[in-house]
Amino acid sequence: MKYMLLMQFSAAGTDFPEIHTWTPEEIRAHIGFMGEVNAKLVADGEWVDGQGLAGPAQAKIVRAGGGGAPVVTEGPFAETKEFLAGYWIVDTDTPERAVELAAWISTAPGPGGKPLNMPIEVHPVMSAPPQDV
C-alpha cells in the first residue's frame, strides 16, 4: 500500500528557531539526514517519490475564475501558521511501517543536533475509487 508522508512546519508551538537562523553546519546535518532517509527508502524498496518544498512566500493558490481562467493569489501568506515543507510517497507492506517511517523522519536534526520531532502526517494513497461507487 502506498502512503504519503507530509512534513508540516508550524511556527506555533515549536521550540526551535526558524531554519534561516541555523548555522550552515546545522542545515547540512538536517539536509544530510533527509538524504539518508531517501537512500534507506530506496535500499529497502519503499521509495516512490519525495521532495522538499519551497516556503510559503514562493507558493501560489490558484482558483478557476470566470470562464475557467486562473485566478492566482501569491504569498507570502501572513495568516499562515503552518505550511507543507516536504513529502514522501512510500510503498510499505503495512500501515504500521508507514507510521514507523514517519516517526523516524520526525527525528530530523535541528539546532545543536537536537531532534525536531516535527509532525509528519500519514495519508493512505487511494489507487482507485471503490467498486461500489
PDB file of all heavy atoms in Angstrom, residues 58-97:
ATOM      1  N   GLN A  58       6.885  31.540  -1.720  1.00  0.00           N
ATOM      2  CA  GLN A  58       7.032  31.197  -3.132  1.00  0.00           C
ATOM      3  C   GLN A  58       5.850  30.384  -3.659  1.00  0.00           C
ATOM      4  O   GLN A  58       5.815  30.029  -4.825  1.00  0.00           O
ATOM      5  CB  GLN A  58       8.328  30.436  -3.346  1.00  0.00           C
ATOM      6  CG  GLN A  58       9.549  31.288  -3.024  1.00  0.00           C
ATOM      7  CD  GLN A  58      10.815  30.481  -3.050  1.00  0.00           C
ATOM      8  OE1 GLN A  58      11.009  29.586  -2.234  1.00  0.00           O
ATOM      9  NE2 GLN A  58      11.674  30.798  -3.997  1.00  0.00           N
ATOM     10  N   ALA A  59       4.901  30.089  -2.785  1.00  0.00           N
ATOM     11  CA  ALA A  59       3.743  29.285  -3.183  1.00  0.00           C
ATOM     12  C   ALA A  59       2.652  30.166  -3.778  1.00  0.00           C
ATOM     13  O   ALA A  59       2.645  31.384  -3.592  1.00  0.00           O
ATOM     14  CB  ALA A  59       3.195  28.528  -1.973  1.00  0.00           C
ATOM     15  N   LYS A  60       1.751  29.549  -4.497  1.00  0.00           N
ATOM     16  CA  LYS A  60       0.620  30.243  -5.088  1.00  0.00           C
ATOM     17  C   LYS A  60      -0.640  29.425  -4.825  1.00  0.00           C
ATOM     18  O   LYS A  60      -0.603  28.202  -4.811  1.00  0.00           O
ATOM     19  CB  LYS A  60       0.796  30.391  -6.589  1.00  0.00           C
ATOM     20  CG  LYS A  60       1.976  31.256  -6.977  1.00  0.00           C
ATOM     21  CD  LYS A  60       2.155  31.295  -8.470  1.00  0.00           C
ATOM     22  CE  LYS A  60       3.297  32.125  -8.956  1.00  0.00           C
ATOM     23  NZ  LYS A  60       4.201  32.741  -8.068  1.00  0.00           N
ATOM     24  N   ILE A  61      -1.729  30.121  -4.641  1.00  0.00           N
ATOM     25  CA  ILE A  61      -3.035  29.474  -4.554  1.00  0.00           C
ATOM     26  C   ILE A  61      -3.761  29.830  -5.836  1.00  0.00           C
ATOM     27  O   ILE A  61      -3.838  31.005  -6.219  1.00  0.00           O
ATOM     28  CB  ILE A  61      -3.817  29.943  -3.325  1.00  0.00           C
ATOM     29  CG1 ILE A  61      -3.083  29.511  -2.059  1.00  0.00           C
ATOM     30  CG2 ILE A  61      -5.245  29.395  -3.352  1.00  0.00           C
ATOM     31  CD1 ILE A  61      -3.705  30.011  -0.778  1.00  0.00           C
ATOM     32  N   VAL A  62      -4.289  28.828  -6.527  1.00  0.00           N
ATOM     33  CA  VAL A  62      -4.943  29.036  -7.820  1.00  0.00           C
ATOM     34  C   VAL A  62      -6.378  28.541  -7.732  1.00  0.00           C
ATOM     35  O   VAL A  62      -6.640  27.444  -7.245  1.00  0.00           O
ATOM     36  CB  VAL A  62      -4.190  28.292  -8.946  1.00  0.00           C
ATOM     37  CG1 VAL A  62      -4.877  28.507 -10.288  1.00  0.00           C
ATOM     38  CG2 VAL A  62      -2.732  28.721  -8.992  1.00  0.00           C
ATOM     39  N   ARG A  63      -7.281  29.378  -8.229  1.00  0.00           N
ATOM     40  CA  ARG A  63      -8.693  29.007  -8.347  1.00  0.00           C
ATOM     41  C   ARG A  63      -9.130  29.331  -9.766  1.00  0.00           C
ATOM     42  O   ARG A  63      -8.563  30.209 -10.418  1.00  0.00           O
ATOM     43  CB  ARG A  63      -9.550  29.814  -7.382  1.00  0.00           C
ATOM     44  CG  ARG A  63      -9.336  29.489  -5.931  1.00  0.00           C
ATOM     45  CD  ARG A  63     -10.297  30.299  -5.050  1.00  0.00           C
ATOM     46  NE  ARG A  63     -10.203  29.910  -3.667  1.00  0.00           N
ATOM     47  CZ  ARG A  63      -9.334  30.389  -2.792  1.00  0.00           C
ATOM     48  NH1 ARG A  63      -8.453  31.290  -3.171  1.00  0.00           N
ATOM     49  NH2 ARG A  63      -9.328  29.977  -1.551  1.00  0.00           N
ATOM     50  N   ALA A  64     -10.158  28.663 -10.210  1.00  0.00           N
ATOM     51  CA  ALA A  64     -10.729  28.990 -11.517  1.00  0.00           C
ATOM     52  C   ALA A  64     -11.613  30.222 -11.362  1.00  0.00           C
ATOM     53  O   ALA A  64     -12.475  30.273 -10.489  1.00  0.00           O
ATOM     54  CB  ALA A  64     -11.539  27.819 -12.052  1.00  0.00           C
ATOM     55  N   GLY A  65     -11.388  31.188 -12.217  1.00  0.00           N
ATOM     56  CA  GLY A  65     -12.222  32.384 -12.243  1.00  0.00           C
ATOM     57  C   GLY A  65     -13.229  32.276 -13.374  1.00  0.00           C
ATOM     58  O   GLY A  65     -13.537  31.180 -13.859  1.00  0.00           O
ATOM     59  N   GLY A  66     -13.716  33.419 -13.808  1.00  0.00           N
ATOM     60  CA  GLY A  66     -14.685  33.451 -14.897  1.00  0.00           C
ATOM     61  C   GLY A  66     -14.152  32.768 -16.139  1.00  0.00           C
ATOM     62  O   GLY A  66     -13.028  33.003 -16.568  1.00  0.00           O
ATOM     63  N   GLY A  67     -14.959  31.892 -16.721  1.00  0.00           N
ATOM     64  CA  GLY A  67     -14.553  31.170 -17.921  1.00  0.00           C
ATOM     65  C   GLY A  67     -13.430  30.187 -17.684  1.00  0.00           C
ATOM     66  O   GLY A  67     -12.799  29.725 -18.632  1.00  0.00           O
ATOM     67  N   GLY A  68     -13.129  29.873 -16.446  1.00  0.00           N
ATOM     68  CA  GLY A  68     -12.078  28.913 -16.136  1.00  0.00           C
ATOM     69  C   GLY A  68     -10.679  29.507 -16.091  1.00  0.00           C
ATOM     70  O   GLY A  68      -9.713  28.793 -15.885  1.00  0.00           O
ATOM     71  N   ALA A  69     -10.565  30.843 -16.299  1.00  0.00           N
ATOM     72  CA  ALA A  69      -9.248  31.485 -16.264  1.00  0.00           C
ATOM     73  C   ALA A  69      -8.670  31.404 -14.854  1.00  0.00           C
ATOM     74  O   ALA A  69      -9.394  31.536 -13.873  1.00  0.00           O
ATOM     75  CB  ALA A  69      -9.369  32.950 -16.688  1.00  0.00           C
ATOM     76  N   PRO A  70      -7.355  31.178 -14.738  1.00  0.00           N
ATOM     77  CA  PRO A  70      -6.763  31.073 -13.404  1.00  0.00           C
ATOM     78  C   PRO A  70      -6.764  32.409 -12.668  1.00  0.00           C
ATOM     79  O   PRO A  70      -6.435  33.446 -13.239  1.00  0.00           O
ATOM     80  CB  PRO A  70      -5.336  30.606 -13.671  1.00  0.00           C
ATOM     81  CG  PRO A  70      -5.063  30.908 -15.088  1.00  0.00           C
ATOM     82  CD  PRO A  70      -6.382  30.960 -15.802  1.00  0.00           C
ATOM     83  N   VAL A  71      -7.144  32.354 -11.405  1.00  0.00           N
ATOM     84  CA  VAL A  71      -7.029  33.492 -10.503  1.00  0.00           C
ATOM     85  C   VAL A  71      -5.979  33.077  -9.477  1.00  0.00           C
ATOM     86  O   VAL A  71      -6.163  32.105  -8.744  1.00  0.00           O
ATOM     87  CB  VAL A  71      -8.377  33.806  -9.816  1.00  0.00           C
ATOM     88  CG1 VAL A  71      -8.201  34.936  -8.808  1.00  0.00           C
ATOM     89  CG2 VAL A  71      -9.437  34.149 -10.848  1.00  0.00           C
ATOM     90  N   VAL A  72      -4.860  33.799  -9.464  1.00  0.00           N
ATOM     91  CA  VAL A  72      -3.712  33.414  -8.655  1.00  0.00           C
ATOM     92  C   VAL A  72      -3.560  34.362  -7.471  1.00  0.00           C
ATOM     93  O   VAL A  72      -3.568  35.580  -7.646  1.00  0.00           O
ATOM     94  CB  VAL A  72      -2.419  33.439  -9.504  1.00  0.00           C
ATOM     95  CG1 VAL A  72      -1.206  33.070  -8.662  1.00  0.00           C
ATOM     96  CG2 VAL A  72      -2.552  32.525 -10.708  1.00  0.00           C
ATOM     97  N   THR A  73      -3.409  33.788  -6.289  1.00  0.00           N
ATOM     98  CA  THR A  73      -3.080  34.548  -5.096  1.00  0.00           C
ATOM     99  C   THR A  73      -1.663  34.161  -4.726  1.00  0.00           C
ATOM    100  O   THR A  73      -1.374  32.977  -4.541  1.00  0.00           O
ATOM    101  CB  THR A  73      -4.037  34.202  -3.934  1.00  0.00           C
ATOM    102  OG1 THR A  73      -5.369  34.426  -4.362  1.00  0.00           O
ATOM    103  CG2 THR A  73      -3.748  35.050  -2.720  1.00  0.00           C
ATOM    104  N   GLU A  74      -0.781  35.130  -4.641  1.00  0.00           N
ATOM    105  CA  GLU A  74       0.613  34.841  -4.324  1.00  0.00           C
ATOM    106  C   GLU A  74       0.907  35.109  -2.866  1.00  0.00           C
ATOM    107  O   GLU A  74       0.203  35.871  -2.217  1.00  0.00           O
ATOM    108  CB  GLU A  74       1.525  35.700  -5.199  1.00  0.00           C
ATOM    109  CG  GLU A  74       1.355  35.380  -6.673  1.00  0.00           C
ATOM    110  CD  GLU A  74       2.360  36.062  -7.554  1.00  0.00           C
ATOM    111  OE1 GLU A  74       3.470  36.337  -7.101  1.00  0.00           O
ATOM    112  OE2 GLU A  74       2.021  36.314  -8.710  1.00  0.00           O
ATOM    113  N   GLY A  75       1.978  34.477  -2.342  1.00  0.00           N
ATOM    114  CA  GLY A  75       2.407  34.689  -0.963  1.00  0.00           C
ATOM    115  C   GLY A  75       3.181  35.984  -0.842  1.00  0.00           C
ATOM    116  O   GLY A  75       3.274  36.720  -1.810  1.00  0.00           O
ATOM    117  N   PRO A  76       3.747  36.325   0.308  1.00  0.00           N
ATOM    118  CA  PRO A  76       3.661  35.476   1.499  1.00  0.00           C
ATOM    119  C   PRO A  76       2.281  35.531   2.136  1.00  0.00           C
ATOM    120  O   PRO A  76       1.544  36.488   1.951  1.00  0.00           O
ATOM    121  CB  PRO A  76       4.722  36.066   2.431  1.00  0.00           C
ATOM    122  CG  PRO A  76       4.816  37.495   2.029  1.00  0.00           C
ATOM    123  CD  PRO A  76       4.520  37.537   0.549  1.00  0.00           C
ATOM    124  N   PHE A  77       1.993  34.487   2.854  1.00  0.00           N
ATOM    125  CA  PHE A  77       0.692  34.366   3.483  1.00  0.00           C
ATOM    126  C   PHE A  77       0.857  34.627   4.971  1.00  0.00           C
ATOM    127  O   PHE A  77       1.112  33.730   5.749  1.00  0.00           O
ATOM    128  CB  PHE A  77       0.106  32.971   3.227  1.00  0.00           C
ATOM    129  CG  PHE A  77       0.134  32.616   1.761  1.00  0.00           C
ATOM    130  CD1 PHE A  77       1.027  31.693   1.278  1.00  0.00           C
ATOM    131  CD2 PHE A  77      -0.717  33.240   0.877  1.00  0.00           C
ATOM    132  CE1 PHE A  77       1.066  31.377  -0.076  1.00  0.00           C
ATOM    133  CE2 PHE A  77      -0.693  32.926  -0.470  1.00  0.00           C
ATOM    134  CZ  PHE A  77       0.214  31.998  -0.951  1.00  0.00           C
ATOM    135  N   ALA A  78       0.693  35.883   5.357  1.00  0.00           N
ATOM    136  CA  ALA A  78       0.935  36.277   6.750  1.00  0.00           C
ATOM    137  C   ALA A  78       0.055  35.498   7.721  1.00  0.00           C
ATOM    138  O   ALA A  78       0.437  35.228   8.849  1.00  0.00           O
ATOM    139  CB  ALA A  78       0.695  37.767   6.903  1.00  0.00           C
ATOM    140  N   GLU A  79      -1.135  35.130   7.274  1.00  0.00           N
ATOM    141  CA  GLU A  79      -2.056  34.419   8.168  1.00  0.00           C
ATOM    142  C   GLU A  79      -1.705  32.940   8.312  1.00  0.00           C
ATOM    143  O   GLU A  79      -2.254  32.249   9.162  1.00  0.00           O
ATOM    144  CB  GLU A  79      -3.496  34.571   7.667  1.00  0.00           C
ATOM    145  CG  GLU A  79      -3.816  33.823   6.390  1.00  0.00           C
ATOM    146  CD  GLU A  79      -3.350  34.490   5.092  1.00  0.00           C
ATOM    147  OE1 GLU A  79      -2.719  35.559   5.148  1.00  0.00           O
ATOM    148  OE2 GLU A  79      -3.606  33.920   4.020  1.00  0.00           O
ATOM    149  N   THR A  80      -0.781  32.437   7.502  1.00  0.00           N
ATOM    150  CA  THR A  80      -0.428  31.027   7.545  1.00  0.00           C
ATOM    151  C   THR A  80       0.514  30.758   8.704  1.00  0.00           C
ATOM    152  O   THR A  80       1.577  31.344   8.793  1.00  0.00           O
ATOM    153  CB  THR A  80       0.244  30.597   6.230  1.00  0.00           C
ATOM    154  OG1 THR A  80      -0.647  30.859   5.171  1.00  0.00           O
ATOM    155  CG2 THR A  80       0.605  29.133   6.252  1.00  0.00           C
ATOM    156  N   LYS A  81       0.110  29.870   9.584  1.00  0.00           N
ATOM    157  CA  LYS A  81       0.954  29.489  10.712  1.00  0.00           C
ATOM    158  C   LYS A  81       1.626  28.147  10.445  1.00  0.00           C
ATOM    159  O   LYS A  81       2.610  27.804  11.062  1.00  0.00           O
ATOM    160  CB  LYS A  81       0.112  29.405  11.977  1.00  0.00           C
ATOM    161  CG  LYS A  81      -0.599  30.714  12.294  1.00  0.00           C
ATOM    162  CD  LYS A  81      -0.469  31.070  13.735  1.00  0.00           C
ATOM    163  CE  LYS A  81      -1.175  32.318  14.156  1.00  0.00           C
ATOM    164  NZ  LYS A  81      -1.386  33.362  13.248  1.00  0.00           N
ATOM    165  N   GLU A  82       1.086  27.380   9.517  1.00  0.00           N
ATOM    166  CA  GLU A  82       1.644  26.077   9.161  1.00  0.00           C
ATOM    167  C   GLU A  82       1.803  26.007   7.651  1.00  0.00           C
ATOM    168  O   GLU A  82       1.046  26.632   6.920  1.00  0.00           O
ATOM    169  CB  GLU A  82       0.714  24.950   9.621  1.00  0.00           C
ATOM    170  CG  GLU A  82       0.537  24.875  11.115  1.00  0.00           C
ATOM    171  CD  GLU A  82      -0.420  23.783  11.529  1.00  0.00           C
ATOM    172  OE1 GLU A  82      -1.181  23.286  10.680  1.00  0.00           O
ATOM    173  OE2 GLU A  82      -0.397  23.420  12.708  1.00  0.00           O
ATOM    174  N   PHE A  83       2.796  25.260   7.212  1.00  0.00           N
ATOM    175  CA  PHE A  83       2.941  25.042   5.777  1.00  0.00           C
ATOM    176  C   PHE A  83       3.583  23.698   5.531  1.00  0.00           C
ATOM    177  O   PHE A  83       4.230  23.130   6.399  1.00  0.00           O
ATOM    178  CB  PHE A  83       3.723  26.176   5.096  1.00  0.00           C
ATOM    179  CG  PHE A  83       5.160  26.285   5.520  1.00  0.00           C
ATOM    180  CD1 PHE A  83       6.152  25.592   4.842  1.00  0.00           C
ATOM    181  CD2 PHE A  83       5.522  27.095   6.590  1.00  0.00           C
ATOM    182  CE1 PHE A  83       7.476  25.702   5.219  1.00  0.00           C
ATOM    183  CE2 PHE A  83       6.846  27.206   6.978  1.00  0.00           C
ATOM    184  CZ  PHE A  83       7.825  26.511   6.289  1.00  0.00           C
ATOM    185  N   LEU A  84       3.365  23.190   4.330  1.00  0.00           N
ATOM    186  CA  LEU A  84       3.920  21.912   3.911  1.00  0.00           C
ATOM    187  C   LEU A  84       5.375  22.127   3.509  1.00  0.00           C
ATOM    188  O   LEU A  84       5.671  22.890   2.593  1.00  0.00           O
ATOM    189  CB  LEU A  84       3.101  21.357   2.748  1.00  0.00           C
ATOM    190  CG  LEU A  84       3.471  19.988   2.234  1.00  0.00           C
ATOM    191  CD1 LEU A  84       3.357  18.940   3.333  1.00  0.00           C
ATOM    192  CD2 LEU A  84       2.562  19.619   1.068  1.00  0.00           C
ATOM    193  N   ALA A  85       6.289  21.457   4.209  1.00  0.00           N
ATOM    194  CA  ALA A  85       7.718  21.629   3.964  1.00  0.00           C
ATOM    195  C   ALA A  85       8.285  20.574   3.024  1.00  0.00           C
ATOM    196  O   ALA A  85       9.303  20.791   2.387  1.00  0.00           O
ATOM    197  CB  ALA A  85       8.485  21.597   5.289  1.00  0.00           C
ATOM    198  N   GLY A  86       7.625  19.427   2.918  1.00  0.00           N
ATOM    199  CA  GLY A  86       8.102  18.368   2.051  1.00  0.00           C
ATOM    200  C   GLY A  86       7.213  17.150   2.166  1.00  0.00           C
ATOM    201  O   GLY A  86       6.297  17.108   2.991  1.00  0.00           O
ATOM    202  N   TYR A  87       7.491  16.171   1.320  1.00  0.00           N
ATOM    203  CA  TYR A  87       6.676  14.959   1.336  1.00  0.00           C
ATOM    204  C   TYR A  87       7.476  13.770   0.830  1.00  0.00           C
ATOM    205  O   TYR A  87       8.485  13.921   0.147  1.00  0.00           O
ATOM    206  CB  TYR A  87       5.409  15.124   0.479  1.00  0.00           C
ATOM    207  CG  TYR A  87       5.708  15.159  -0.999  1.00  0.00           C
ATOM    208  CD1 TYR A  87       5.727  13.989  -1.761  1.00  0.00           C
ATOM    209  CD2 TYR A  87       6.006  16.349  -1.644  1.00  0.00           C
ATOM    210  CE1 TYR A  87       6.035  14.016  -3.106  1.00  0.00           C
ATOM    211  CE2 TYR A  87       6.314  16.383  -2.996  1.00  0.00           C
ATOM    212  CZ  TYR A  87       6.322  15.214  -3.726  1.00  0.00           C
ATOM    213  OH  TYR A  87       6.639  15.236  -5.049  1.00  0.00           O
ATOM    214  N   TRP A  88       7.005  12.597   1.194  1.00  0.00           N
ATOM    215  CA  TRP A  88       7.483  11.333   0.662  1.00  0.00           C
ATOM    216  C   TRP A  88       6.263  10.517   0.274  1.00  0.00           C
ATOM    217  O   TRP A  88       5.235  10.579   0.961  1.00  0.00           O
ATOM    218  CB  TRP A  88       8.244  10.522   1.703  1.00  0.00           C
ATOM    219  CG  TRP A  88       9.551  11.101   2.120  1.00  0.00           C
ATOM    220  CD1 TRP A  88      10.788  10.758   1.659  1.00  0.00           C
ATOM    221  CD2 TRP A  88       9.769  12.115   3.090  1.00  0.00           C
ATOM    222  NE1 TRP A  88      11.749  11.502   2.280  1.00  0.00           N
ATOM    223  CE2 TRP A  88      11.145  12.362   3.169  1.00  0.00           C
ATOM    224  CE3 TRP A  88       8.922  12.872   3.912  1.00  0.00           C
ATOM    225  CZ2 TRP A  88      11.702  13.294   4.025  1.00  0.00           C
ATOM    226  CZ3 TRP A  88       9.470  13.810   4.762  1.00  0.00           C
ATOM    227  CH2 TRP A  88      10.841  14.013   4.813  1.00  0.00           C
ATOM    228  N   ILE A  89       6.375   9.761  -0.785  1.00  0.00           N
ATOM    229  CA  ILE A  89       5.397   8.726  -1.082  1.00  0.00           C
ATOM    230  C   ILE A  89       6.156   7.420  -0.953  1.00  0.00           C
ATOM    231  O   ILE A  89       7.201   7.233  -1.585  1.00  0.00           O
ATOM    232  CB  ILE A  89       4.775   8.877  -2.480  1.00  0.00           C
ATOM    233  CG1 ILE A  89       4.034  10.214  -2.568  1.00  0.00           C
ATOM    234  CG2 ILE A  89       3.830   7.709  -2.774  1.00  0.00           C
ATOM    235  CD1 ILE A  89       3.460  10.525  -3.927  1.00  0.00           C
ATOM    236  N   VAL A  90       5.655   6.569  -0.072  1.00  0.00           N
ATOM    237  CA  VAL A  90       6.314   5.299   0.197  1.00  0.00           C
ATOM    238  C   VAL A  90       5.347   4.168  -0.101  1.00  0.00           C
ATOM    239  O   VAL A  90       4.125   4.345  -0.086  1.00  0.00           O
ATOM    240  CB  VAL A  90       6.808   5.216   1.663  1.00  0.00           C
ATOM    241  CG1 VAL A  90       7.868   6.278   1.931  1.00  0.00           C
ATOM    242  CG2 VAL A  90       5.658   5.348   2.647  1.00  0.00           C
ATOM    243  N   ASP A  91       5.903   3.009  -0.387  1.00  0.00           N
ATOM    244  CA  ASP A  91       5.108   1.812  -0.637  1.00  0.00           C
ATOM    245  C   ASP A  91       5.540   0.790   0.413  1.00  0.00           C
ATOM    246  O   ASP A  91       6.638   0.252   0.347  1.00  0.00           O
ATOM    247  CB  ASP A  91       5.379   1.297  -2.050  1.00  0.00           C
ATOM    248  CG  ASP A  91       4.381   0.252  -2.499  1.00  0.00           C
ATOM    249  OD1 ASP A  91       3.605  -0.250  -1.662  1.00  0.00           O
ATOM    250  OD2 ASP A  91       4.379  -0.070  -3.698  1.00  0.00           O
ATOM    251  N   THR A  92       4.674   0.579   1.405  1.00  0.00           N
ATOM    252  CA  THR A  92       5.018  -0.297   2.527  1.00  0.00           C
ATOM    253  C   THR A  92       4.077  -1.488   2.595  1.00  0.00           C
ATOM    254  O   THR A  92       2.982  -1.465   2.039  1.00  0.00           O
ATOM    255  CB  THR A  92       4.949   0.470   3.857  1.00  0.00           C
ATOM    256  OG1 THR A  92       3.611   0.906   4.086  1.00  0.00           O
ATOM    257  CG2 THR A  92       5.885   1.669   3.855  1.00  0.00           C
ATOM    258  N   ASP A  93       4.517  -2.519   3.291  1.00  0.00           N
ATOM    259  CA  ASP A  93       3.705  -3.727   3.442  1.00  0.00           C
ATOM    260  C   ASP A  93       2.558  -3.546   4.431  1.00  0.00           C
ATOM    261  O   ASP A  93       1.541  -4.216   4.322  1.00  0.00           O
ATOM    262  CB  ASP A  93       4.575  -4.904   3.890  1.00  0.00           C
ATOM    263  CG  ASP A  93       5.539  -5.351   2.799  1.00  0.00           C
ATOM    264  OD1 ASP A  93       5.224  -5.153   1.604  1.00  0.00           O
ATOM    265  OD2 ASP A  93       6.603  -5.889   3.146  1.00  0.00           O
ATOM    266  N   THR A  94       2.755  -2.645   5.410  1.00  0.00           N
ATOM    267  CA  THR A  94       1.736  -2.464   6.444  1.00  0.00           C
ATOM    268  C   THR A  94       1.570  -0.988   6.788  1.00  0.00           C
ATOM    269  O   THR A  94       2.510  -0.200   6.622  1.00  0.00           O
ATOM    270  CB  THR A  94       2.113  -3.211   7.744  1.00  0.00           C
ATOM    271  OG1 THR A  94       3.290  -2.587   8.292  1.00  0.00           O
ATOM    272  CG2 THR A  94       2.367  -4.697   7.502  1.00  0.00           C
ATOM    273  N   PRO A  95       0.406  -0.617   7.303  1.00  0.00           N
ATOM    274  CA  PRO A  95       0.231   0.755   7.775  1.00  0.00           C
ATOM    275  C   PRO A  95       1.181   1.073   8.933  1.00  0.00           C
ATOM    276  O   PRO A  95       1.662   2.202   9.055  1.00  0.00           O
ATOM    277  CB  PRO A  95      -1.221   0.813   8.254  1.00  0.00           C
ATOM    278  CG  PRO A  95      -1.886  -0.400   7.743  1.00  0.00           C
ATOM    279  CD  PRO A  95      -0.821  -1.397   7.406  1.00  0.00           C
ATOM    280  N   GLU A  96       1.485   0.085   9.738  1.00  0.00           N
ATOM    281  CA  GLU A  96       2.387   0.297  10.868  1.00  0.00           C
ATOM    282  C   GLU A  96       3.780   0.706  10.395  1.00  0.00           C
ATOM    283  O   GLU A  96       4.446   1.519  11.036  1.00  0.00           O
ATOM    284  CB  GLU A  96       2.475  -0.978  11.733  1.00  0.00           C
ATOM    285  CG  GLU A  96       1.185  -1.323  12.457  1.00  0.00           C
ATOM    286  CD  GLU A  96       0.139  -2.039  11.595  1.00  0.00           C
ATOM    287  OE1 GLU A  96       0.481  -2.509  10.479  1.00  0.00           O
ATOM    288  OE2 GLU A  96      -1.016  -2.102  12.033  1.00  0.00           O
ATOM    289  N   ARG A  97       4.219   0.135   9.266  1.00  0.00           N
ATOM    290  CA  ARG A  97       5.532   0.506   8.731  1.00  0.00           C
ATOM    291  C   ARG A  97       5.530   1.970   8.284  1.00  0.00           C
ATOM    292  O   ARG A  97       6.505   2.690   8.508  1.00  0.00           O
ATOM    293  CB  ARG A  97       5.915  -0.413   7.562  1.00  0.00           C
ATOM    294  CG  ARG A  97       7.212  -0.054   6.874  1.00  0.00           C
ATOM    295  CD  ARG A  97       8.410  -0.160   7.788  1.00  0.00           C
ATOM    296  NE  ARG A  97       9.625   0.163   7.037  1.00  0.00           N
ATOM    297  CZ  ARG A  97      10.728   0.607   7.577  1.00  0.00           C
ATOM    298  NH1 ARG A  97      10.823   0.750   8.891  1.00  0.00           N
ATOM    299  NH2 ARG A  97      11.778   0.894   6.830  1.00  0.00           N
TER     300      ARG A  97
END
